[in-house]
Amino acid sequence: MIELLRGMRDIYPPETAVWEKLYFKASELFNTFNYKQILTPVLEKTELFSRSVGASSDIVNKEMYTFIDRGEDSVTLRPEGTASVMRAYLANSDYRDKFVKLWYWGPMYRYERPQKGRYRQFNQFGLEAICSQNPIVDAELIYILNKFYTELGLNNLSLEVNSVGCKECRPAYKDNLVDYFTQNNDKLCDDCKRRLLQNPLRILDCKVETCKILASKAPIITEHLCTECDTHFKLLKEYLDNLNLKYTLNPFIVRGLDYYTKTVFEFTSLELGGRQNALGGGGRYDELSLELGGKKVPSVGFAGGIERLILLLEPEIFSEKQIYLAVLDDTTLKNIFPLILKLKETFKIIDDSFKTASPKKFLEKALKNNIRFILFCGTDDFAKKQFLLKDLKLSIEHVLNFSDLNILTDKISEILGG
Ligand code: AMP
């Protein structure tokens, strides 16, 4: 038997139903706020990511699925979505200098050590607001995500916000940071020793305990912002306050990708636990377009992990009210078959390949499969033109006349709604 690749997952029903619902919920919400869907290829030139995500990032250094294709080009399975969206924005002449709001949804690839909540193929949804430097756009984006998560019933999330400055103010801050960490070089983990040379900011979000202790006393970026970044950050906080959004200022959020400027933020959940507690994150990338050879297009975006989101959802969040079909004999089944097909257009009816059985058998099966409603019909019921709809949770039975399909559907909807 050929086995699945490590870090990849098959997603079977009933989980696929959750994916479908989530996709529609996301699409509905993002479209309401005028974000439009964009689809970009999963395979891109390697250069797109090495130039944008950054040669010093963990992703580019050790996690990309890169190979030489048959045309001798170096290509990479996308490890994230923003670089492709910016590439597509720059390539589309209709978008030139225009403010555009886009969202995406799809698989990403990172060669990481797999564990619960961390896979080598995983899925992200993302929002990108391109060509605006206004912090009100950052605030709206955060508001939409917060709305998405809260409407899905996730109440224990924390939102952490920071500013990582820009190319005016960050170099001086970086120098401060390098001085500080160089004095403590012997206490850094091996990865951070490399980061100190390549990208010292990344030391701030290292998860190794000794590095965390050192980082907690390091100089803080928000105390070194230039006037422009400082004003931007103050305004963002005011907009968030006006929206009554609860957030924590966390100067240690720097994000794993090199292209961020000014705003950065993360939604985390303690319930995810351990190092995989980040549900999603984003920020501004005002200079990403320059890295890709375009002119400056200030923008802000976010990417959220879908697998981790599903891990947090209550199982019943999207659970449909299923009805278990319990026809007691074959003659009744033959007679009632057309009506059952009509009912299937409106209700989720589990037919168990139309097997007939005793009421006791049906009851046992419904209980075993956690189905709350059973629709019984036997010879006597059929003669009286009626069904028996049993609610196992409330232990009540409803006798339903089926002579009029509309009345019957209304009645069943009413019962399922309760
Ligand atoms: P990032 O692009 O690294 O900021 O990731 C954004 C979100 O994608 C994270 O907060 C996770 O929810 C999710 N994510 C990132 N990497 C993985 C992975 N290897 N497996 C599953 N989800 C991931």
Side-chain angles (χ1 to χ4, degrees):
M1 271 240 291
I2 298 172
E3 283 172 15
L4 196 63
L5 283 172
R6 202 163 119 76
M8 309 275 167
R9 292 174 73 217
D10 293 314
I11 305 169
Y12 294 94
E15 190 188 327
T16 39
V18 176
W19 283 77
E20 271 172 50
K21 299 263 167 47
L22 212 50
Y23 177 81
F24 284 113
K25 172 135 194 74
S27 127
E28 200 178 20
L29 178 68
F30 304 155
N31 281 303
T32 305
F33 282 86
N34 212 23
Y35 280 77
K36 303 278 189 271
Q37 191 182 22
I38 182 163
L39 299 167
T40 62
V42 292
L43 199 60
E44 299 268 7
K45 285 190 174 165
T46 302
E47 198 189 354
L48 174 68
F49 304 112
S50 48
R51 276 174 44 179
S52 57
V53 176
S56 68
S57 66
D58 284 352
I59 294 180
V60 172
N61 260 304
K62 44 186 185 188
E63 294 170 4
M64 292 210 302
Y65 277 89
T66 297
F67 58 94
I68 305 294
D69 72 6
R70 289 170 195 274
E72 302 289 305
D73 290 315
S74 175
V75 293
T76 295
L77 283 171
R78 64 179 180 196
E80 61 102 44
T82 304
S84 305
V85 173
M86 181 49 91
R87 182 199 45 67
Y89 174 92
L90 294 172
N92 185 338
S93 56
D94 290 346
Y95 283 168
R96 197 146 301 147
D97 297 327
K98 288 208 183 97
F99 176 50
V100 177
K101 289 157 92 176
L102 299 168
W103 68 271
Y104 61 83
W105 171 293
M108 307 292 159
Y109 302 83
R110 293 184 197 171
Y111 197 84
E112 294 191 85
R113 198 169 49 79
Q115 62 186 78
K116 190 171 180 205
R118 189 162 74 194
Y119 312 100
R120 289 182 174 172
Q121 174 179 306
F122 60 97
N123 292 267
Q124 285 184 338
F125 68 90
L127 284 85
E128 313 287 357
I130 303 181
C131 204
S132 165
Q133 27 198 349
N134 196 338
I136 202 164
V137 177
D138 311 25
E140 186 195 44
L141 194 109
I142 295 175
Y143 173 82
I144 298 168
L145 291 161
N146 188 64
K147 189 173 168 62
F148 183 54
Y149 288 139
T150 5
E151 284 181 2
L152 288 170
L154 309 183
N155 299 312
N156 289 327
L157 295 187
S158 67
L159 164 63
E160 298 180 349
V161 181
N162 189 24
S163 172
V164 289
C166 66
K167 65 171 185 254
E168 294 304 318
C169 48
R170 206 161 29 192
Y173 170 70
K174 254 190 188 169
D175 289 347
N176 269 319
L177 213 55
V178 171
D179 284 349
Y180 171 78
F181 283 120
T182 309
Q183 285 161 27
N184 297 285
N185 196 4
D186 52 328
K187 300 189 192 102
L188 292 173
C189 73
D190 286 346
D191 272 343
C192 283
K193 283 189 177 125
R194 175 180 56 79
R195 288 176 186 138
L196 183 57
L197 302 173
Q198 293 182 334
N199 188 353
L201 258 80
R202 290 294 322 280
I203 303 177
L204 296 176
D205 73 355
C206 178
K207 303 289 186 286
V208 175
E209 208 46 47
T210 45
C211 299
K212 265 165 86 174
I213 297 171
L214 265 188
S216 68
K217 298 188 189 113
I220 283 174
I221 177 96
T222 40
E223 290 168 5
H224 293 79
L225 296 177
C226 60
T227 318
E228 189 190 308
C229 289
D230 194 45
T231 312
H232 193 277
F233 194 40
K234 279 198 180 112
L235 278 170
L236 170 68
K237 289 184 280 183
E238 280 171 28
Y239 291 130
L240 295 178
D241 292 338
N242 275 350
L243 293 169
N244 280 327
L245 275 172
K246 289 204 174 52
Y247 60 92
T248 318
L249 296 176
N250 181 349
F252 301 112
I253 298 186
V254 292
R255 316 270 308 121
L257 304 91
D258 286 0
Y259 53 60
Y260 286 108
T261 46
K262 297 193 172 80
T263 313
V264 286
F265 61 96
E266 276 179 4
F267 281 88
T268 53
S269 162
L270 282 179
E271 284 165 49
L272 281 170
R275 292 175 180 201
Q276 264 53 258
N277 68 354
L279 190 56
R284 273 207 158 259
Y285 47 95
D286 292 349
E287 279 141 30
L288 171 63
S289 56
L290 294 172
E291 301 295 331
L292 302 184
K295 60 180 192 177
K296 186 164 170 174
V297 185
S299 308
V300 57
F302 173 91
I306 300 164
E307 282 80 359
R308 287 191 203 168
L309 173 57
I310 289 177
L311 282 175
L312 286 181
L313 294 180
E314 294 294 333
E316 63 272 9
I317 177 91
F318 290 131
S319 79
E320 279 167 312
K321 301 254 169 89
Q322 300 177 332
I323 302 176
Y324 197 55
L325 180 66
V327 183
L328 307 185
D329 61 276
D330 289 343
T331 316
T332 306
L333 178 62
K334 193 167 70 191
N335 292 331
I336 212 137
F337 184 49
L339 180 56
I340 297 297
L341 291 189
K342 283 273 164 230
L343 287 178
K344 278 189 173 183
E345 288 173 19
T346 315
F347 304 107
K348 179 95 186 159
I349 297 186
I350 311 295
D351 58 39
D352 202 8
S353 82
F354 293 104
K355 282 189 205 102
T356 53
S358 69
K360 189 166 165 261
K361 269 251 154 60
F362 279 125
L363 249 169
E364 281 168 8
K365 276 201 168 173
L367 284 170
K368 198 170 142 211
N369 290 301
N370 255 328
I371 300 175
R372 177 172 161 186
F373 296 97
I374 313 186
L375 191 67
F376 282 108
C377 195
T379 330
D380 290 351
D381 299 315
F382 187 77
K384 292 185 203 154
K385 287 187 173 305
Q386 70 184 33
F387 286 129
L388 212 64
L389 185 62
K390 216 175 167 126
D391 179 341
L392 296 180
K393 185 172 168 196
L394 303 181
S395 296
I396 40 176
E397 283 178 3
H398 303 268
V399 177
L400 305 175
N401 187 289
F402 60 66
S403 341
D404 183 317
L405 181 66
N406 288 333
I407 298 178
L408 175 68
T409 15
D410 285 354
K411 191 85 199 156
I412 299 180
S413 302
E414 197 182 300
I415 297 166
L416 298 195

